[in-house]
Every structure is written in C-alpha cells, then in structure tokens.
Amino acid sequence: MSSSRSGAMFVEQLRHVPLLRGLTDVQLADLARTARTHRFEPDQIVFLQGDPGDTVHIILRGQVKVVTTSRAGHEAILAFLADGESFGEMSLLDDLPRSATIQATTMTTTLSLRKVDFHKLLREAPDLSLRLLRALARRLRETGMLVQDAAFLDVGERLAKKLVSMATEAIELGVTVPGSTRVSGPAIELRVTQQDLASMIGATRESVNKSLASFRTRGYLAVGRHRLSILDLDGLRSVVDRALD
C-alpha cells in the first residue's frame, strides 16, 4: 500500500464522488487537506476483521470485497463495493473493532478520513449523513436477504439469484462481450471465481461447480478462467422466478 497527502488537486475529483455530492467548495477543500489517498494492489488486504478501526475509506477508483471469516476459517463474502462507495464507517460510529475484512479485487484507490475529521464532516453536512445512513440501511437489507435466501432457496436457486443480480449491475456499467448468438444482444461478462461465488451464497465450491455445469448445459452461461459469460439472462431469471413462486 502506498499513501500520500491529498491536496487541492483532488477537489475536482472529490466533487464527482456520489457520497460527497452537495458538499461546498470549502468543505471539499477541507476534506482534501485532511484526508489521505491510498493505493492497493489486487488481492491486497486493506484491513482485517477484528482490527481496531480509526478511519473510514471512500473508494475513488477500483473495487473491494467485504469478507467475514468464522473461527473455523470459513469465508463469506458479504458485498463488493466500487467507485464512490465507502467502508469502515461502523467502527467509527460504535467504537468497536472492524466487523469484516476488506480486500481489494482490482487496483484500487481510496481516500481515508480519521475519526475526528469524519465526525466533523457529518456534523457539518447533514445531507452526507443521510446518504451514509441510506447506504448502511441498504447493506443491512442485503445481509438480511442473504439469511432469507439461505433458509428458503437451494444452492442452484441462490446461485441463479446472485448471478442475475451481478449481471444486472454489469449491464448498468456497460460490461458486455460482443458476439453472443444465444440471445439477442451481447453476453454479459462477470469477473468472478467459483470460490468467490460459493462464499457469496454460503455454499461449497463443489456445489457451485455442479450448479454452474447445469446452467451451462442449459445454455444460460459459459464458464472461463476467473470469469463467467451470461448468455441467457432470462433463463437464469426463470430459475429465480420459479423458486420464489
């Protein structure tokens, strides 16, 4: 990890971060002076579950995954966070250790704020507090949905639901692969490993591999090294719809 002091050169960049929209030029300049930038390599750990928490990070560019680990060493991926999203807030709000491990999945640049500066910004910018609360509420809903899915859906159904969700996000970001002939329109590429998928839905890698093989046979997707191409999104949606009926 490398870090450097932020300065006025970051003000314009900060202006385009969704979480910081609405801040005045003075507030953005203060933020640029007090914050630090950090750069993380793919697979590099930002912090570990159980570490003391004294900073919040805003992702300027890149992606991280939020991971929890049991005492037996089993891993569960709670979320992937990307440009404009933040992490590490909980420890600054409840003064408890980090509740999850954060690991970069791509080259990632973040802006970090110390606890005292973060609290000052929240007091001075009520709109920021509301956006932060909405983000935390969304993550809480998503965690609740994971528990519900684990109780009522089998592995194949959970996997289909997760792939549909990831594909929908990819469509919004324009991540497609030209040349698909299975369905009208391009295929949707997802850069994800089978182990990551297993960790996201609370299943074993073997059971995920079995479900992927079934979806591949039905023409729903193609499996590559560390990536999937969704060829028939409606087919995957039909698996989810039948499970939820």
Side-chain angles (χ1 to χ4, degrees), residues 26-115:
V26 172
Q27 289 170 327
L28 288 172
D30 286 343
L31 178 61
R33 281 193 296 271
T34 58
R36 295 182 69 88
T37 54
H38 306 266
R39 293 177 179 84
F40 301 93
E41 301 285 337
D43 299 324
Q44 187 173 355
I45 299 296
V46 180
F47 54 70
L48 293 169
Q49 181 177 339
D51 282 352
D54 58 359
T55 55
V56 60
H57 288 255
I58 298 170
I59 303 173
L60 297 179
R61 182 173 56 256
Q63 184 189 68
V64 302
K65 62 181 178 180
V66 184
V67 181
T68 60
T69 306
S70 71
R71 291 184 179 180
H74 300 301
E75 179 183 285
I77 298 176
L78 301 182
F80 286 89
L81 305 176
D83 298 12
E85 297 187 275
S86 60
F87 58 87
E89 311 95 335
M90 287 182 59
S91 290
L92 271 64
L93 296 173
D94 62 13
D95 295 322
L96 294 177
R98 300 295 194 187
S99 61
T101 294
I102 302 293
Q103 183 177 13
T105 60
T106 65
M107 288 293 296
T108 300
T109 302
T110 72
L111 194 75
S112 71
L113 275 175
R114 297 175 303 164
K115 180 177 179 178

Side-chain angles (χ1 to χ4, degrees), residues 121-170:
L121 187 59
L122 291 181
R123 287 193 297 269
E124 294 178 350
D127 287 347
L128 173 62
S129 299
L130 287 175
R131 281 192 290 275
L132 182 61
L133 285 172
R134 290 192 187 102
L136 293 175
R138 185 186 71 247
R139 292 178 205 168
L140 184 59
R141 285 180 182 273
E142 290 171 351
T143 301
M145 188 62 67
L146 288 175
V147 175
Q148 179 176 312
D149 289 348
F152 299 115
L153 303 180
D154 64 27
V155 171
E157 293 162 347
R158 298 203 304 273
L159 179 60
K161 185 175 181 182
K162 174 54 68 175
L163 291 175
V164 168
S165 174
M166 295 176 69
T168 301
E169 292 179 5

